[in-house]
Each structure stands twice: as C-alpha cells, then as structure tokens.
C-alpha cells in the first residue's frame, strides 16, 4: 500500500453541516519510514512534528499500529519500552510521549487521530488507559482491511466520508478492545490454573509428586505448565517445590528438637545426605550449623 497522510480540521469541508456522531477524525495515514532516516520526517504539520529529545503533547487521541519493523515508545506514565511488529499504542490528549523506529530497521505505521464525545466514552473503557498505552494485536487481516478502508474513505473525500471514517474508527477500537479482552481472559485463566497447581504443590509437599503428574492432574501439557508457571512465579515448578521444602525444613530446625534425618524425611527428601547437600546450597549453611547459629542468636 502506498504511503498517505491527511490532516483534517473537523467541522470543515463537504461534511461541515453533517453530524459527527460523537467521533471526529483529525488525521489518518500510512507511512513506511525507511531505515537510516531521521524520524519523524519533515512533512508533518507543525502541530504534529516533534523533536524526539523533547517529545510531544497532543490535544486528541491517536491510535498507532506498527505493521512491520521495530522501535521504542515512551510516555508520561511508562518508561521506554521496545515496540515489535503488531503493536498498537495509544496517544492521549495532554499526555507527553515520544516514539521512533530503530535506525537500522525503520518501520511501517498506520495511524488515526480522533476526538469527540463518543470517543471520550470509548477511551474510558477498562482496557484503554494512559498508564497502559500499548496493546499487542499481532497481524490481524480484518484490522488492516478496516484501516485501508478508512484511508480510502478520507482519500476520496466524498459526501458522508467523515461520518463513515468515524464508524470505521469505532470498528478499529472495537477490534482492539476485543483483542485486549481475550488476552485478559486468557491471562486470568492461566493465573487460575497455576494458582491451583501451586495449591496442589503445597498440599503434596511431603510426597514425591512430579511436575509432569501435576500437569496431567490439571489437564494441561507439561510444556505449557512449565512455561506458564515460570512466567507467573519466576521459578520453574521443580525449583518452587524445592524452595518450599527447604523453607519447611528450616522452620522445623528452629521450632522442633527433631534430628536432621527425621526433618529430612518429613520435609519430603529421600535421604539425609541429599537433604543436607541441597540445604547448604540454598542456605549457605549446613542444617546443623543453621540450627546452632540461629538458635544461639535467639538466646
């Protein structure tokens, strides 16, 4: 698709006396920024051009979709983040921001700037927030096709074009909302499954239940379980289970008079030697030394 951009003064042109249905289009475009060139290019109007070092503040909403290439984005409520192909970021009225493609890659961007009373209502929905302005859409053929229709509508500027462009922008926002909602639901389900498995680990701490058996018990694949568990807890299932056993043993060393051998077996270890070796690697002290030093410290 060829590059295109148009900046519109809402309330002017062929549709000046037509209702805007609560959403007005300020600008729309598609631009391919090649690698090695300064960004943004100098063809932006003064009110949209920005020096990256200073950033920019707009008086409208903008939806920007990066179709290809990579870069960075930064805004008032978030630090600098990397932008991958398929990323959408929103620019909010009155919120400082800046962004640019990587010099060695460039990027291809689609954008639409909009405002109005219904736009304000839509942008107050749960998944749209200045604190979380990036949403990963990925490649979505329907989304791209609607953007192309939107550009064509503004390009040919027929009667009713601004109203149709507003409807197409609402469709874009609806697809983004649905995508964000599905990811939120997927994330919630993932967290629920992992929390259930964590509960099973606590309940079976003294047994030798394997991560593979835990995955089977909760009707998920071991590969999915291992990846999701580490994503949510920061630890592999085996390390999480081991750390719980060590914590239990450390508590028993300080709160009971049981011997090291008994504590090892009651904490789910197969032998006193294996327990002592793992305990020392985790706590930097042998079990007996740990008991002696910490009990002496309490006296």
């Amino acid at each position: 698709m060829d590059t295109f951009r148009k900046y519109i003064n809402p309330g002017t042109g062929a549709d000046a006396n037509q209702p805007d249905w609560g959403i007005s289009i300020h600008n729309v475009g598609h631009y391919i920024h090649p690698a090695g060139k300064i960004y943004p290019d100098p063809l932006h109007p003064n009110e949209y051009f920005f020096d990256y070092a200073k950033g920019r503040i707009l008086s409208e909403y903008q939806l920007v979709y990066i179709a290809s290439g990579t870069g960075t984005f930064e805004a008032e409520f978030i630090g600098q983040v990397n932008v991958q192909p398929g990323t959408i970021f929103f620019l909010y009225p009155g919120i400082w921001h800046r962004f640019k493609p990587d010099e060695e890659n460039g990027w291809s961007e689609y954008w639409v700037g909009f405002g109005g009373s219904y736009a304000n209502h839509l942008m107050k929905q749960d998944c749209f927030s200045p604190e979380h302005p990036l949403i990963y859409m990925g490649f979505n053929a329907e989304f791209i096709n609607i953007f192309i229709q939107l550009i064509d509508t503004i390009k040919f500027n027929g009667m009713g074009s601004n109203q149709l462009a507003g409807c197409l922008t609402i469709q874009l926002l609806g697809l983004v909302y649905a995508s964000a909602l599905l990811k939120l639901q997927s994330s919630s389900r993932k967290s629920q499954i992992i929390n259930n498995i964590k509960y099973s680990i606590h309940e079976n701490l003294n047994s030798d239940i394997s991560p593979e058996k835990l995955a089977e018990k909760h009707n998920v694949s071991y590969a999915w379980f291992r990846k999701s568990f580490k994503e949510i807890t920061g630890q592999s299932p085996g390390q999480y289970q081991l750390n719980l056993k060590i914590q239990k043993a450390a508590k028993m060393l300080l709160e009971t008079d049981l011997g090291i051998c008994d504590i090892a077996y009651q904490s789910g270890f197969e032998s006193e030697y294996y327990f002592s070796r793992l305990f020392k690697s985790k706590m930097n002290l042998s079990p007996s030394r740990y008991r002696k030093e910490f009990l002496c410290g309490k006296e």
Side-chain angles (χ1 to χ4, degrees):
M1 182 181 178
D2 294 335
T3 61
F4 171 81
R5 71 183 80 189
K6 186 168 183 178
Y7 297 87
I8 304 159
N9 186 8
T12 62
D15 288 335
N17 297 319
Q18 299 297 315
D20 64 11
W21 298 341
I23 186 163
S24 55
I25 305 305
H26 295 252
N27 48 79
V28 65
H30 169 239
Y31 186 69
I32 301 172
H33 191 84
K37 295 194 72 174
I38 295 173
Y39 186 90
D41 73 276
L43 297 179
H44 285 72
N46 288 338
E47 63 268 32
Y48 291 98
F49 188 83
F50 66 97
D51 177 351
Y52 182 80
K54 297 178 180 177
R56 180 180 66 177
I57 295 176
L58 296 176
S59 58
E60 67 195 53
Y61 299 102
Q62 280 195 10
L63 182 164
V64 183
Y65 175 67
I66 304 305
S68 63
T70 58
T72 57
F73 175 85
E74 188 175 357
E76 185 172 324
F77 297 108
I78 65 169
Q80 182 174 294
V81 294
N82 294 327
V83 173
Q84 301 299 321
T87 299
I88 289 167
F89 52 81
F90 285 98
L91 311 178
Y92 289 81
I95 302 295
W96 176 89
H97 61 267
R98 62 183 180 181
F99 52 90
K100 64 178 180 180
D102 291 330
E103 189 174 349
E104 64 273 19
N105 294 325
W107 70 19
S108 171
E109 61 186 22
Y110 291 82
W111 79 89
V112 56
F114 57 96
S117 57
Y118 189 55
N120 290 332
H121 168 72
L122 290 175
M123 296 306 293
K124 288 177 182 175
Q125 303 307 305
D126 288 344
C127 74
F128 300 136
S129 163
E131 288 80 14
H132 304 284
L134 285 86
I135 295 173
Y136 183 73
M137 166 71 76
F139 176 77
N140 185 306
E142 183 181 4
F143 186 80
I144 295 290
N145 287 336
I146 293 172
F147 236 124
I148 292 171
Q149 289 179 57
L150 171 59
I151 289 171
D152 286 343
T153 298
I154 294 297
K155 184 186 294 185
F156 298 116
N157 197 29
M159 181 62 70
S161 61
N162 287 345
Q163 286 75 29
L164 178 55
C167 290
L168 290 168
T169 301
I170 291 170
Q171 288 185 55
L172 290 174
L173 292 173
L175 286 174
V176 177
Y177 182 86
S179 176
L181 199 61
L182 284 172
K183 284 181 172 59
L184 182 63
Q185 290 173 343
S186 175
S187 176
S188 295
R189 180 179 176 274
K190 182 189 295 184
S191 296
Q192 184 177 4
I193 291 172
I194 297 304
N195 283 334
N196 289 341
I197 294 177
K198 283 168 66 179
Y199 179 76
S200 290
I201 292 174
H202 282 259
E203 288 290 290
N204 295 279
L205 198 56
N206 292 343
S207 71
D208 224 3
I209 188 168
S210 67
E212 290 83 0
K213 286 290 184 184
L214 284 168
E216 183 182 343
K217 180 180 176 183
H218 290 83
N219 299 312
V220 295
S221 72
Y222 174 65
W224 180 93
F225 162 49
R226 183 178 173 81
K227 180 181 177 182
S228 299
F229 194 94
K230 189 163 187 179
E231 181 183 316
I232 290 173
T233 68
Q235 304 174 66
S236 69
Q239 280 300 310
Y240 182 83
Q241 194 174 34
L242 176 60
N243 288 336
L244 284 179
K245 289 181 176 182
I246 294 293
Q247 289 169 22
K248 178 181 179 181
K251 192 169 185 291
M252 292 175 71
L253 283 166
L254 301 182
E255 295 181 0
T256 75
D257 295 324
L258 290 171
I260 305 299
C261 183
D262 290 333
I263 289 176
Y265 285 111
Q266 289 192 30
S267 300
F269 292 94
E270 60 191 30
S271 71
E272 180 181 349
Y273 170 77
Y274 182 62
F275 162 64
S276 297
R277 184 165 61 85
L278 287 176
F279 190 94
K280 188 172 184 178
S281 71
K282 291 286 184 182
M283 309 298 284
N284 296 317
L285 291 170
S286 67
S288 57
R289 189 72 184 171
Y290 179 88
R291 170 179 269 173
K292 183 178 180 181
E293 290 204 3
F294 280 88
L295 285 179
C296 287
K298 290 182 177 181
E299 292 174 356

